Tab-separated table of all heavy atoms in Angstrom:
chain	number	residue	atom	x	y	z
A	1	MET	N	-14.915	-0.151	-4.888
A	1	MET	CA	-13.769	-1.120	-4.969
A	1	MET	C	-12.786	-0.593	-6.002
A	1	MET	O	-13.120	-0.183	-7.097
A	1	MET	CB	-14.364	-2.443	-5.444
A	1	MET	CG	-13.243	-3.605	-5.489
A	1	MET	SD	-13.990	-5.154	-6.083
A	1	MET	CE	-15.268	-5.444	-4.893
A	2	ALA	N	-11.519	-0.690	-5.640
A	2	ALA	CA	-10.428	-0.209	-6.503
A	2	ALA	C	-10.314	-1.178	-7.735
A	2	ALA	O	-10.268	-2.400	-7.500
A	2	ALA	CB	-9.136	-0.102	-5.776
A	3	LYS	N	-10.205	-0.647	-8.941
A	3	LYS	CA	-10.029	-1.467	-10.111
A	3	LYS	C	-8.614	-1.839	-10.187
A	3	LYS	O	-8.181	-2.938	-10.550
A	3	LYS	CB	-10.549	-0.652	-11.313
A	3	LYS	CG	-10.497	-1.481	-12.631
A	3	LYS	CD	-11.160	-0.691	-13.721
A	3	LYS	CE	-11.040	-1.385	-15.033
A	3	LYS	NZ	-9.678	-1.312	-15.584
A	4	ASP	N	-7.738	-0.951	-10.006
A	4	ASP	CA	-6.300	-1.133	-10.142
A	4	ASP	C	-5.657	-0.502	-8.914
A	4	ASP	O	-6.071	0.533	-8.405
A	4	ASP	CB	-5.730	-0.522	-11.376
A	4	ASP	CG	-6.254	-1.154	-12.603
A	4	ASP	OD1	-6.099	-2.366	-12.806
A	4	ASP	OD2	-6.844	-0.421	-13.419
A	5	VAL	N	-4.549	-1.083	-8.458
A	5	VAL	CA	-3.704	-0.438	-7.430
A	5	VAL	C	-2.389	-0.128	-8.016
A	5	VAL	O	-1.669	-0.957	-8.550
A	5	VAL	CB	-3.558	-1.426	-6.201
A	5	VAL	CG1	-2.533	-0.772	-5.193
A	5	VAL	CG2	-4.887	-1.749	-5.561
A	6	ILE	N	-2.024	1.152	-8.013
A	6	ILE	CA	-0.759	1.599	-8.471
A	6	ILE	C	0.092	1.978	-7.280
A	6	ILE	O	-0.311	2.664	-6.367
A	6	ILE	CB	-0.985	2.811	-9.388
A	6	ILE	CG1	-1.854	2.487	-10.554
A	6	ILE	CG2	0.335	3.397	-9.878
A	6	ILE	CD1	-2.382	3.685	-11.370
A	7	CYS	N	1.324	1.371	-7.284
A	7	CYS	CA	2.207	1.523	-6.122
A	7	CYS	C	3.662	1.642	-6.589
A	7	CYS	O	4.049	0.947	-7.509
A	7	CYS	CB	2.003	0.312	-5.265
A	7	CYS	SG	3.072	0.302	-3.820
A	8	GLU	N	4.413	2.536	-5.994
A	8	GLU	CA	5.747	2.757	-6.349
A	8	GLU	C	6.747	1.976	-5.400
A	8	GLU	O	7.976	2.126	-5.549
A	8	GLU	CB	6.113	4.239	-6.347
A	8	GLU	CG	6.080	4.853	-4.910
A	8	GLU	CD	6.511	6.265	-4.900
A	8	GLU	OE1	6.702	6.907	-6.012
A	8	GLU	OE2	6.637	6.859	-3.803
A	9	VAL	N	6.232	1.230	-4.431
A	9	VAL	CA	7.121	0.607	-3.466
A	9	VAL	C	7.761	-0.661	-3.958
A	9	VAL	O	7.287	-1.786	-3.718
A	9	VAL	CB	6.331	0.293	-2.113
A	9	VAL	CG1	7.257	-0.139	-1.046
A	9	VAL	CG2	5.653	1.628	-1.672
A	10	SER	N	8.807	-0.550	-4.773
A	10	SER	CA	9.397	-1.653	-5.459
A	10	SER	C	10.146	-2.654	-4.503
A	10	SER	O	10.550	-3.678	-4.910
A	10	SER	CB	10.346	-1.179	-6.579
A	10	SER	OG	11.346	-0.334	-5.979
A	11	SER	N	10.361	-2.257	-3.285
A	11	SER	CA	10.962	-3.068	-2.282
A	11	SER	C	9.951	-4.134	-1.682
A	11	SER	O	10.375	-4.923	-0.783
A	11	SER	CB	11.606	-2.254	-1.194
A	11	SER	OG	10.648	-1.395	-0.594
A	12	CYS	N	8.754	-4.138	-2.086
A	12	CYS	CA	7.704	-5.056	-1.626
A	12	CYS	C	7.658	-6.263	-2.498
A	12	CYS	O	7.740	-6.159	-3.775
A	12	CYS	CB	6.359	-4.344	-1.585
A	12	CYS	SG	4.962	-5.368	-1.078
A	13	ARG	N	7.453	-7.492	-1.908
A	13	ARG	CA	7.349	-8.704	-2.725
A	13	ARG	C	6.126	-8.694	-3.631
A	13	ARG	O	6.079	-9.378	-4.595
A	13	ARG	CB	7.200	-9.883	-1.754
A	13	ARG	CG	8.478	-10.243	-1.049
A	13	ARG	CD	8.210	-11.521	-0.275
A	13	ARG	NE	9.240	-11.676	0.800
A	13	ARG	CZ	10.490	-12.186	0.552
A	13	ARG	NH1	10.773	-12.641	-0.637
A	13	ARG	NH2	11.382	-12.313	1.581
A	14	ASN	N	5.053	-7.919	-3.306
A	14	ASN	CA	3.927	-7.816	-4.110
A	14	ASN	C	4.046	-6.815	-5.311
A	14	ASN	O	3.083	-6.734	-6.125
A	14	ASN	CB	2.705	-7.459	-3.236
A	14	ASN	CG	2.411	-8.531	-2.276
A	14	ASN	OD1	2.301	-9.711	-2.605
A	14	ASN	ND2	2.239	-8.105	-0.972
A	15	TRP	N	5.152	-6.135	-5.348
A	15	TRP	CA	5.311	-5.177	-6.386
A	15	TRP	C	5.589	-5.901	-7.736
A	15	TRP	O	6.404	-6.765	-7.749
A	15	TRP	CB	6.464	-4.203	-6.058
A	15	TRP	CG	6.557	-3.030	-6.979
A	15	TRP	CD1	5.799	-1.925	-6.957
A	15	TRP	CD2	7.438	-2.857	-8.077
A	15	TRP	NE1	6.168	-0.981	-7.910
A	15	TRP	CE2	7.255	-1.598	-8.652
A	15	TRP	CE3	8.512	-3.687	-8.582
A	15	TRP	CZ2	7.938	-1.177	-9.702
A	15	TRP	CZ3	9.207	-3.175	-9.671
A	15	TRP	CH2	8.925	-1.898	-10.217
A	16	ALA	N	4.865	-5.543	-8.771
A	16	ALA	CA	4.930	-6.288	-10.021
A	16	ALA	C	5.431	-5.559	-11.248
A	16	ALA	O	5.183	-5.920	-12.423
A	16	ALA	CB	3.564	-6.863	-10.288
A	17	GLY	N	6.158	-4.533	-11.044
A	17	GLY	CA	6.666	-3.803	-12.187
A	17	GLY	C	5.617	-2.873	-12.779
A	17	GLY	O	4.450	-3.039	-12.529
A	18	ASN	N	6.119	-1.873	-13.517
A	18	ASN	CA	5.165	-0.801	-13.969
A	18	ASN	C	4.331	-0.296	-12.920
A	18	ASN	O	3.074	0.038	-13.119
A	18	ASN	CB	4.286	-1.361	-15.140
A	18	ASN	CG	5.110	-1.671	-16.370
A	18	ASN	OD1	6.121	-0.997	-16.650
A	18	ASN	ND2	4.816	-2.734	-17.079
A	19	ASN	N	4.781	-0.245	-11.679
A	19	ASN	CA	4.098	0.296	-10.498
A	19	ASN	C	2.769	-0.407	-10.312
A	19	ASN	O	1.712	0.254	-9.932
A	19	ASN	CB	3.934	1.763	-10.630
A	19	ASN	CG	5.249	2.567	-10.366
A	19	ASN	OD1	6.166	1.942	-9.781
A	19	ASN	ND2	5.303	3.787	-10.772
A	20	ARG	N	2.705	-1.746	-10.452
A	20	ARG	CA	1.416	-2.463	-10.170
A	20	ARG	C	1.652	-3.277	-8.876
A	20	ARG	O	2.740	-3.636	-8.491
A	20	ARG	CB	1.149	-3.505	-11.342
A	20	ARG	CG	0.858	-2.748	-12.628
A	20	ARG	CD	-0.392	-1.954	-12.539
A	20	ARG	NE	-0.668	-1.168	-13.754
A	20	ARG	CZ	-1.791	-0.525	-13.927
A	20	ARG	NH1	-2.738	-0.574	-13.065
A	20	ARG	NH2	-1.919	0.204	-14.988
A	21	CYS	N	0.509	-3.649	-8.190
A	21	CYS	CA	0.473	-4.407	-7.073
A	21	CYS	C	-0.169	-5.805	-7.396
A	21	CYS	O	-1.214	-5.825	-7.966
A	21	CYS	CB	-0.375	-3.741	-5.904
A	21	CYS	SG	-0.551	-4.845	-4.503
A	22	SER	N	0.590	-6.929	-7.105
A	22	SER	CA	0.047	-8.221	-7.498
A	22	SER	C	-0.681	-8.913	-6.311
A	22	SER	O	-1.145	-10.066	-6.480
A	22	SER	CB	1.218	-9.181	-7.880
A	22	SER	OG	2.078	-9.355	-6.812
A	23	ALA	N	-0.881	-8.282	-5.214
A	23	ALA	CA	-1.559	-8.851	-4.091
A	23	ALA	C	-3.101	-9.065	-4.416
A	23	ALA	O	-3.702	-8.335	-5.213
A	23	ALA	CB	-1.508	-7.996	-2.825
A	24	GLU	N	-3.693	-10.152	-3.849
A	24	GLU	CA	-5.158	-10.378	-4.058
A	24	GLU	C	-6.017	-9.171	-3.473
A	24	GLU	O	-6.978	-8.842	-4.031
A	24	GLU	CB	-5.588	-11.661	-3.356
A	24	GLU	CG	-5.166	-12.926	-3.982
A	24	GLU	CD	-6.080	-13.234	-5.147
A	24	GLU	OE1	-7.316	-13.210	-4.918
A	24	GLU	OE2	-5.562	-13.638	-6.230
A	25	SER	N	-5.527	-8.735	-2.379
A	25	SER	CA	-6.157	-7.568	-1.703
A	25	SER	C	-5.108	-6.843	-0.898
A	25	SER	O	-4.053	-7.405	-0.606
A	25	SER	CB	-7.317	-7.981	-0.839
A	25	SER	OG	-6.873	-8.753	0.224
A	26	ILE	N	-5.412	-5.599	-0.604
A	26	ILE	CA	-4.475	-4.893	0.283
A	26	ILE	C	-5.204	-4.219	1.448
A	26	ILE	O	-6.427	-3.992	1.352
A	26	ILE	CB	-3.674	-3.821	-0.478
A	26	ILE	CG1	-4.618	-2.784	-1.153
A	26	ILE	CG2	-2.769	-4.420	-1.526
A	26	ILE	CD1	-3.880	-1.591	-1.703
A	27	PHE	N	-4.472	-4.046	2.526
A	27	PHE	CA	-5.065	-3.424	3.753
A	27	PHE	C	-4.289	-2.194	4.051
A	27	PHE	O	-3.124	-2.196	4.303
A	27	PHE	CB	-4.884	-4.506	4.937
A	27	PHE	CG	-5.504	-4.055	6.232
A	27	PHE	CD1	-6.609	-3.173	6.266
A	27	PHE	CD2	-4.952	-4.485	7.398
A	27	PHE	CE1	-7.127	-2.801	7.503
A	27	PHE	CE2	-5.466	-4.103	8.635
A	27	PHE	CZ	-6.571	-3.306	8.673
A	28	ILE	N	-5.020	-1.059	3.937
A	28	ILE	CA	-4.428	0.207	4.253
A	28	ILE	C	-4.921	0.706	5.574
A	28	ILE	O	-6.076	0.642	5.943
A	28	ILE	CB	-4.888	1.260	3.193
A	28	ILE	CG1	-4.641	0.756	1.758
A	28	ILE	CG2	-4.182	2.628	3.398
A	28	ILE	CD1	-3.204	0.524	1.429
A	29	VAL	N	-3.958	1.212	6.366
A	29	VAL	CA	-4.238	1.576	7.770
A	29	VAL	C	-3.830	3.012	8.006
A	29	VAL	O	-2.990	3.578	7.239
A	29	VAL	CB	-3.466	0.675	8.761
A	29	VAL	CG1	-3.971	-0.791	8.631
A	29	VAL	CG2	-2.043	0.760	8.569
A	30	ASN	N	-4.375	3.668	9.031
A	30	ASN	CA	-3.927	4.887	9.551
A	30	ASN	C	-2.548	4.643	10.121
A	30	ASN	O	-2.353	3.607	10.861
A	30	ASN	CB	-4.818	5.394	10.691
A	30	ASN	CG	-6.253	5.704	10.215
A	30	ASN	OD1	-6.444	6.526	9.407
A	30	ASN	ND2	-7.159	5.025	10.779
A	31	ASN	N	-1.618	5.555	9.920
A	31	ASN	CA	-0.289	5.390	10.548
A	31	ASN	C	-0.155	6.174	11.808
A	31	ASN	O	0.923	6.205	12.418
A	31	ASN	CB	0.857	5.595	9.562
A	31	ASN	CG	0.949	7.036	9.155
A	31	ASN	OD1	0.318	7.948	9.706
A	31	ASN	ND2	1.782	7.310	8.173
A	32	LYS	N	-1.231	6.735	12.311
A	32	LYS	CA	-1.318	7.414	13.563
A	32	LYS	C	-2.549	6.852	14.342
A	32	LYS	O	-3.370	6.170	13.761
A	32	LYS	CB	-1.429	8.928	13.386
A	32	LYS	CG	-0.247	9.445	12.670
A	32	LYS	CD	-0.273	11.012	12.728
A	32	LYS	CE	0.827	11.552	11.917
A	32	LYS	NZ	1.930	12.056	12.093
A	33	GLU	N	-2.657	7.232	15.590
A	33	GLU	CA	-3.812	6.712	16.403
A	33	GLU	C	-5.156	7.282	15.915
A	33	GLU	O	-6.142	6.623	16.021
A	33	GLU	CB	-3.561	7.000	17.834
A	33	GLU	CG	-2.453	6.109	18.460
A	33	GLU	CD	-2.323	6.305	19.906
A	33	GLU	OE1	-3.301	6.775	20.558
A	33	GLU	OE2	-1.283	5.938	20.463
A	34	SER	N	-5.180	8.557	15.403
A	34	SER	CA	-6.389	9.103	14.941
A	34	SER	C	-6.560	8.926	13.468
A	34	SER	O	-5.609	8.558	12.737
A	34	SER	CB	-6.454	10.631	15.264
A	34	SER	OG	-5.379	11.253	14.679
A	35	ASN	N	-7.816	9.106	12.941
A	35	ASN	CA	-8.072	8.889	11.534
A	35	ASN	C	-7.244	9.824	10.657
A	35	ASN	O	-7.037	11.010	10.999
A	35	ASN	CB	-9.536	9.041	11.200
A	35	ASN	CG	-10.371	7.825	11.551
A	35	ASN	OD1	-9.764	6.768	11.649
A	35	ASN	ND2	-11.639	8.034	11.781
A	36	ALA	N	-6.781	9.296	9.515
A	36	ALA	CA	-5.926	10.135	8.610
A	36	ALA	C	-6.708	11.305	8.048
A	36	ALA	O	-7.905	11.262	7.758
A	36	ALA	CB	-5.423	9.261	7.485
A	37	HIS	N	-6.002	12.418	7.850
A	37	HIS	CA	-6.550	13.589	7.141
A	37	HIS	C	-5.780	13.881	5.918
A	37	HIS	O	-6.202	14.698	5.126
A	37	HIS	CB	-6.621	14.778	8.082
A	37	HIS	CG	-7.513	14.547	9.217
A	37	HIS	ND1	-8.918	14.593	9.157
A	37	HIS	CD2	-7.315	14.310	10.591
A	37	HIS	CE1	-9.441	14.318	10.300
A	37	HIS	NE2	-8.497	14.147	11.204
A	38	ARG	N	-4.619	13.242	5.775
A	38	ARG	CA	-3.772	13.458	4.617
A	38	ARG	C	-3.250	12.132	4.158
A	38	ARG	O	-3.115	11.156	4.973
A	38	ARG	CB	-2.520	14.365	4.954
A	38	ARG	CG	-2.947	15.700	5.378
A	38	ARG	CD	-1.709	16.548	5.750
A	38	ARG	NE	-1.112	16.012	6.920
A	38	ARG	CZ	0.264	15.762	7.002
A	38	ARG	NH1	1.078	16.073	5.995
A	38	ARG	NH2	0.758	15.334	8.096
A	39	SER	N	-2.903	11.909	2.845
A	39	SER	CA	-2.418	10.616	2.390
A	39	SER	C	-1.158	10.239	3.067
A	39	SER	O	-0.873	9.029	3.314
A	39	SER	CB	-2.147	10.750	0.887
A	39	SER	OG	-1.205	11.738	0.569
A	40	ALA	N	-0.342	11.217	3.576
A	40	ALA	CA	0.924	10.913	4.292
A	40	ALA	C	0.675	10.227	5.611
A	40	ALA	O	1.545	9.687	6.198
A	40	ALA	CB	1.737	12.181	4.451
A	41	GLU	N	-0.627	10.223	6.018
A	41	GLU	CA	-0.963	9.574	7.299
A	41	GLU	C	-1.573	8.204	7.134
A	41	GLU	O	-2.215	7.670	8.034
A	41	GLU	CB	-1.936	10.505	8.102
A	41	GLU	CG	-1.268	11.828	8.457
A	41	GLU	CD	-2.265	12.819	9.087
A	41	GLU	OE1	-3.509	12.598	9.039
A	41	GLU	OE2	-1.807	13.876	9.533
A	42	THR	N	-1.384	7.614	6.012
A	42	THR	CA	-1.850	6.252	5.683
A	42	THR	C	-0.667	5.346	5.351
A	42	THR	O	0.381	5.783	4.833
A	42	THR	CB	-2.882	6.214	4.521
A	42	THR	OG1	-2.191	6.572	3.357
A	42	THR	CG2	-3.990	7.152	4.782
A	43	ASP	N	-0.807	4.010	5.572
A	43	ASP	CA	0.183	3.046	5.180
A	43	ASP	C	-0.393	1.780	4.667
A	43	ASP	O	-1.542	1.397	5.034
A	43	ASP	CB	0.979	2.689	6.466
A	43	ASP	CG	2.034	3.700	6.955
A	43	ASP	OD1	2.558	4.399	5.997
A	43	ASP	OD2	2.206	3.829	8.135
A	44	CYS	N	0.317	1.054	3.818
A	44	CYS	CA	-0.068	-0.242	3.294
A	44	CYS	C	0.394	-1.311	4.267
A	44	CYS	O	1.625	-1.592	4.366
A	44	CYS	CB	0.447	-0.528	1.874
A	44	CYS	SG	-0.040	-2.127	1.372
A	45	LYS	N	-0.491	-1.970	4.955
A	45	LYS	CA	-0.093	-2.986	5.948
A	45	LYS	C	0.176	-4.321	5.258
A	45	LYS	O	0.805	-5.224	5.876
A	45	LYS	CB	-1.194	-3.200	6.977
A	45	LYS	CG	-0.667	-3.908	8.219
A	45	LYS	CD	-1.604	-3.755	9.399
A	45	LYS	CE	-0.978	-4.304	10.677
A	45	LYS	NZ	-1.726	-4.068	11.857
A	46	THR	N	-0.185	-4.480	4.056
A	46	THR	CA	0.162	-5.685	3.262
A	46	THR	C	1.558	-5.676	2.787
A	46	THR	O	2.022	-6.738	2.319
A	46	THR	CB	-0.852	-5.783	2.023
A	46	THR	OG1	-2.192	-5.584	2.502
A	46	THR	CG2	-0.768	-7.078	1.336
A	47	PHE	N	2.261	-4.574	2.857
A	47	PHE	CA	3.662	-4.525	2.464
A	47	PHE	C	4.418	-5.732	3.046
A	47	PHE	O	4.353	-6.074	4.242
A	47	PHE	CB	4.272	-3.189	3.029
A	47	PHE	CG	5.774	-3.154	2.843
A	47	PHE	CD1	6.337	-2.958	1.573
A	47	PHE	CD2	6.630	-3.342	3.916
A	47	PHE	CE1	7.666	-2.842	1.416
A	47	PHE	CE2	8.013	-3.281	3.746
A	47	PHE	CZ	8.580	-3.023	2.508
A	48	ASP	N	5.219	-6.348	2.171
A	48	ASP	CA	5.960	-7.550	2.541
A	48	ASP	C	7.438	-7.301	1.998
A	48	ASP	O	7.645	-7.368	0.817
A	48	ASP	CB	5.353	-8.770	1.897
A	48	ASP	CG	6.107	-10.088	2.298
A	48	ASP	OD1	6.911	-10.029	3.280
A	48	ASP	OD2	5.814	-11.088	1.650
A	49	PRO	N	8.432	-7.022	2.915
A	49	PRO	CA	9.682	-6.643	2.325
A	49	PRO	C	10.416	-7.799	1.629
A	49	PRO	O	10.194	-8.928	2.005
A	49	PRO	CB	10.505	-6.288	3.624
A	49	PRO	CG	9.717	-6.915	4.726
A	49	PRO	CD	8.298	-7.010	4.301
A	50	LYS	N	11.057	-7.478	0.599
A	50	LYS	CA	11.822	-8.506	-0.261
A	50	LYS	C	12.972	-9.023	0.593
A	50	LYS	O	13.563	-8.337	1.424
A	50	LYS	CB	12.344	-7.853	-1.482
A	50	LYS	CG	11.256	-7.649	-2.582
A	50	LYS	CD	11.835	-7.073	-3.761
A	50	LYS	CE	10.761	-6.836	-4.824
A	50	LYS	NZ	11.293	-6.079	-6.027
B	101	LIG	S1	1.209	-4.768	-0.999
B	101	LIG	FE1	1.123	-2.517	-0.668
B	101	LIG	S2	3.291	-1.853	-0.653
B	101	LIG	FE2	3.204	-3.880	-1.602
B	101	LIG	S3	3.028	-3.516	-3.814
B	101	LIG	FE3	0.935	-3.755	-3.029
B	101	LIG	S4	0.216	-1.707	-2.518
B	101	LIG	FE4	2.477	-1.596	-2.766
């Protein structure tokens, strides 16, 4: 279980400054049909645009 989530996506409503995420939990998904092999192939589905 992640202790802290550090995120730079300041355009998200859950972004809390100092690169923190204020969401109760987050859901990370593959951004392609097959399983990710690199971080660039993952996305935060909890993202909520401001
Ligand atoms: S919900 Fe996802 S995109 Fe939004 S601040 Fe948290 S980790 Fe970042």
Side-chain angles (χ1 to χ4, degrees):
M1 184 182 301
K3 183 171 177 287
D4 296 302
V5 176
I6 301 168
C7 176
E8 67 175 8
V9 186
S10 60
S11 56
C12 177
R13 289 183 197 277
N14 295 311
W15 189 81
N18 294 324
N19 285 342
R20 297 293 174 174
C21 174
S22 65
E24 286 278 316
S25 63
I26 59 171
F27 182 31
I28 308 298
V29 296
N30 295 298
N31 66 11
K32 298 190 185 257
E33 288 186 21
S34 58
N35 281 337
H37 297 288
R38 298 179 293 132
S39 59
E41 295 173 351
T42 68
D43 283 327
C44 177
K45 196 161 188 175
T46 310
F47 171 75
D48 183 12
K50 287 181 179 171

